[in-house]
């Protein structure tokens, strides 16, 4: 019989490069391995230059379009990012329905609709447009997914705040998470973003399946449980690690890479807090002095401190708001110029992690950064800031898989220096972390190969899209 036509997939991307990048990678993989085409649907609030450049660099099989702007001016100033994204999505349902109806007409065969973690309300639009297969793409990990899926119950069983829990939160298969490390948007139940997260937890159940950007070896406990079908919960497919192939050119690229070229193998610790993270002034100072004290070579992406604005002030736009160099300790750049390079705002992270001179990564534990580090076999020092990063730090450090050393909460320069030194050349926990990361790098690569677990999971999903099943 004639093989069915290749599927077209519509994908809704909630704001943030951390959502766009892996979803675009998924679209590219569906195109290159399975002959699919895809349309990425973005929100008007994220029409930044960075995003436009990224979208225009995608292959022809992956097109994009933007939803019209929605009015969010009634939301209180300082509303959480999770609230803004959820509201923007909920208010875009009518426009999205029209877009999906249009795509059905123009593509002839809209095989599936995929929404990401804050976009589950868009399932209503897909239903209204008569798109039968509705999938969730979860760009973070199985630990976070387990938590969100349990939120509707936890909302009743945990009456107070998570941070006040006497015992760590224990969920099926998961590393126990101490209360204060639980997902940031759940830490204040009076904040509307808490209610939004509980809502998403029940909305996720409407998905036919959930595709997760993670892999078994990095979180074997929840992988084992979520891979089994369970009544009342969508099937879960770990399809990662999907990371971006490369970060296009930026003005710091050449400076970083030429500097790395001059450093010995595995001698440099890369220090970066993601696309939006920044530290409070005092911690930024301790970090500088800690790096200096460690005696290790470093490449540090600096942003102006967070107490000069919100902690994730840069979320919609990665440019540092002020001159970050002004906040470094007096004489720091001069004193460390033989061993360190400090760049403002942005570095070509993938190229840096792939460079032979890079031997460690001090990271905020954003999930994309973690996956990129593991894919390139770079062990981590965990310094989480917001979102799910504290939880990620727990599952990555000794309590969990052991791929990172966490900086103690006090964040003093000596403790920072000790963690960095141990990671780079220590014979105790440092050596164990380095060995574990090498193992995870291998497991990640094997999963993505033809026949590997991640490749097989994605093939199974595509089979459903093309085979007429849900
Ligand atoms: N990134 C980069 N250069 C930087 C900072 C970040 O290329 O200086 C990229 C990084 O490679 C990753 C993404 O931006 O792909 C950050 O995503 P992550 O989930 O780690 O953190 P978030 O930005 O969502 O907090």
């Amino acid at each position: 019989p004639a093989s069915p036509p290749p599927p077209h997939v519509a994908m809704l991307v909630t704001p943030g490069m951390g959502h766009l990048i892996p979803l675009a990678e998924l679209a590219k993989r569906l195109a290159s391995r399975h002959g699919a085409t895809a349309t990425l649907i973005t929100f008007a609030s994220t029409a930044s230059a960075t995003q436009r450049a990224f979208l225009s660099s995608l292959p022809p099989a992956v097109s994009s379009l933007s939803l019209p702007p929605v009015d969010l001016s009634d939301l209180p100033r300082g509303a959480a990012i999770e609230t803004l994204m959820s509201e923007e999505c909920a208010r875009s349902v009518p426009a999205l329905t029209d877009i999906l109806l249009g795509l059905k007409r123009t593509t002839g065969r809209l095989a599936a609709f995929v929404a990401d973690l804050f976009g589950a309300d868009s399932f209503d639009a897909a239903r209204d447009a008569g798109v039968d297969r509705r999938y969730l793409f979860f760009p973070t990990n199985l630990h976070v997914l387990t938590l969100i899926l349990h939120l509707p119950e936890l909302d009743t069983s945990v009456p107070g705040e998570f941070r006040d829990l006497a015992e760590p939160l224990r969920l099926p298969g998961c590393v126990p998470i101490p209360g204060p490390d639980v997902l940031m948007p759940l830490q204040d139940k009076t904040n509307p973003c808490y209610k939004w997260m509980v809502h998403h937890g029940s909305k996720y159940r409407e998905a036919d399946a959930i595709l997760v950007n993670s892999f078994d070896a990095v979180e074997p406990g929840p992988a084992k449980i979520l891979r089994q079908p369970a009544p009342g919960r969508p099937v879960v497919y770990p399809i990662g690690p999907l990371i971006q192939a490369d970060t296009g050119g930026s003005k710091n690229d050449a400076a970083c890479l030429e500097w790395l070229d001059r450093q010995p193998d595995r001698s440099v610790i890369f220090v970066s807090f993601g696309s939006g993270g920044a530290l409070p002034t005092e911690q930024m100072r301790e970090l500088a002095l800690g790096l200096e004290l460690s005696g290790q070579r470093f490449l540090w992406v600096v942003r102006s401190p967070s107490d000069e604005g919100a902690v994730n002030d840069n979320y919609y736009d990665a440019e540092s708001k002020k001159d970050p160099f002004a906040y470094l300790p007096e004489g720091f750049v001069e004193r460390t110029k033989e061993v360190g390079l400090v760049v403002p705002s942005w570095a070509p992270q993938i190229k840096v992690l792939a460079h032979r001179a890079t031997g460690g990564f001090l990271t905020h534990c954003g999930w994309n950064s973690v996956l990129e580090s593991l894919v390139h076999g770079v062990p981590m020092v965990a310094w989480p800031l917001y979102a799910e990063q504290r939880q990620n730090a727990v599952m990555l450090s000794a309590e969990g898989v052991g791929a990172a050393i966490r900086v103690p909460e006090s964040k003093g320069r000596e403790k920072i220096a000790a963690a960095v030194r141990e990671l780079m050349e220590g014979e105790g926990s440092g050596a164990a972390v380095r060995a574990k990361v090498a193992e995870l790098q291998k497991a990640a690569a094997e999963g993505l190969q033809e026949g590997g677990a991640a490749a097989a999971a994605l093939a199974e999903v595509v089979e459903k899209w093309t085979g007429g099943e849900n």
Side-chain angles (χ1 to χ4, degrees):
S3 54
H8 186 81
V9 187
M11 298 177 158
L12 182 72
V13 197
T14 57
M17 290 304 283
H19 307 159
L20 175 59
I21 291 170
L23 207 42
E25 263 331 294
L26 172 60
K28 279 156 70 177
R29 195 163 290 250
L30 287 167
S32 64
R33 293 231 177 147
H34 304 281
T37 52
T39 302
L40 297 175
I41 304 168
T42 58
F43 287 91
S45 63
T46 46
S48 66
T50 320
Q51 174 162 311
R52 269 199 304 277
F54 180 85
L55 289 170
S56 64
S57 71
L58 295 171
V62 184
S63 39
S64 65
L65 52 85
S66 174
L67 283 155
V70 290
D71 183 14
L72 298 175
S73 60
D74 57 310
L75 297 178
R77 258 179 74 86
I81 278 169
E82 292 82 3
T83 302
L84 294 175
M85 291 192 277
S86 306
E87 288 280 357
E88 192 174 11
C89 178
R91 295 177 190 195
S92 297
V93 166
L96 181 62
T97 309
D98 291 342
I99 286 179
L100 293 177
L101 286 168
L103 282 175
K104 266 176 87 170
R105 273 194 307 275
T106 51
T107 62
R109 187 156 192 283
L110 190 52
F113 172 74
V114 181
D116 73 27
L117 75 176
F118 296 111
D121 274 309
S122 64
F123 288 156
D124 296 348
R127 191 181 315 104
D128 293 347
V131 182
D132 295 332
R133 299 193 194 90
R134 297 180 283 272
Y135 281 66
L136 190 78
F137 173 73
F138 200 72
T140 173
N141 54 63
L142 298 166
H143 274 80
V144 181
L145 177 63
T146 301
L147 173 60
I148 297 183
L149 285 171
H150 279 84
L151 275 180
E153 294 138 58
L154 291 172
D155 188 38
T156 15
S157 62
V158 179
E161 295 291 355
F162 283 104
R163 61 174 179 275
D164 297 327
L165 284 176
E167 290 292 317
L169 183 65
R170 286 171 206 280
L171 293 171
C174 294
V175 177
I177 308 289
D181 289 328
V182 165
L183 211 60
M184 190 84 108
L186 304 181
Q187 290 289 353
D188 173 7
K189 293 190 177 177
T190 63
N191 191 311
C193 79
Y194 171 78
K195 289 253 160 7
W196 270 115
M197 298 306 293
V198 177
H199 168 74
H200 292 318
S202 47
K203 203 77 186 160
Y204 283 8
R205 293 177 191 274
E206 293 178 22
D208 291 312
I210 304 178
L211 317 182
V212 185
N213 197 11
S214 188
F215 59 109
D216 295 41
V218 71
E219 39 182 352
K224 195 162 167 221
I225 290 181
L226 292 175
R227 274 184 178 282
Q228 303 300 324
R233 171 201 21 95
V235 190
V236 174
Y237 294 100
I239 56 163
L242 295 175
I243 65 163
Q244 59 180 331
D246 208 332
T247 47
S250 90
K251 54 184 183 302
N252 292 327
D253 281 25
C256 292
L257 300 169
E258 280 162 27
W259 184 81
L260 281 172
D261 285 345
R262 295 197 297 275
Q263 312 306 320
D265 284 2
R266 298 211 149 246
S267 67
V268 174
I269 182 153
F270 176 52
V271 181
S272 172
F273 296 89
S275 57
L279 300 177
T281 309
E282 188 49 32
Q283 289 185 10
M284 186 168 164
R285 190 183 156 73
E286 290 301 311
L287 174 55
L289 298 171
L291 287 172
E292 185 176 355
L293 207 58
S294 78
Q296 303 296 313
R297 292 167 202 268
F298 62 86
L299 168 54
W300 180 11
V301 185
V302 285
R303 300 232 170 81
S304 49
S306 55
D307 33 10
E308 301 281 309
V311 69
N312 42 22
D313 210 16
N314 297 311
Y315 190 79
Y316 285 90
D317 173 8
E319 283 297 303
S320 183
K321 296 288 177 280
K322 299 193 177 138
D323 174 19
F325 287 94
Y327 299 89
L328 293 171
E330 181 90 28
F332 169 77
V333 174
E334 181 57 28
R335 286 197 306 276
T336 56
K337 69 173 193 285
E338 298 300 323
V339 290
L341 179 67
V342 184
V343 298
S345 298
W346 195 258
Q349 182 164 312
I350 296 286
K351 291 192 185 103
V352 171
L353 291 171
H355 199 285
R356 49 139 203 96
T358 303
F361 183 11
L362 189 156
T363 169
H364 73 317
C365 300
W367 193 243
N368 292 296
S369 292
V370 169
L371 292 178
E372 290 162 8
S373 206
L374 294 175
V375 165
H376 293 100
V378 179
M380 289 165 274
V381 168
W383 183 317
L385 298 178
Y386 53 94
E388 89 288 28
Q389 296 153 14
R390 295 178 67 100
Q391 242 187 262
N392 295 349
V394 175
M395 62 168 275
L396 289 170
S397 52
E399 301 98 293
V401 73
I405 295 176
R406 184 168 178 175
V407 177
E409 211 47 43
S410 60
K411 307 282 195 302
R413 64 192 77 162
E414 277 88 14
K415 300 235 162 75
I416 297 167
V420 168
R421 223 182 284 123
E422 182 61 36
L423 182 84
M424 298 300 283
E425 50 183 33
E427 288 308 320
S429 55
V433 163
R434 295 192 301 271
K436 186 68 193 182
V437 167
E439 199 184 292
L440 293 175
Q441 178 184 29
K442 195 158 161 272
E446 281 168 6
L448 290 170
Q449 275 163 24
E450 200 76 47
L458 190 58
E460 200 177 315
V461 172
V462 177
E463 179 78 30
K464 295 202 156 119
W465 291 348
T466 50
E469 271 182 79
N470 261 334

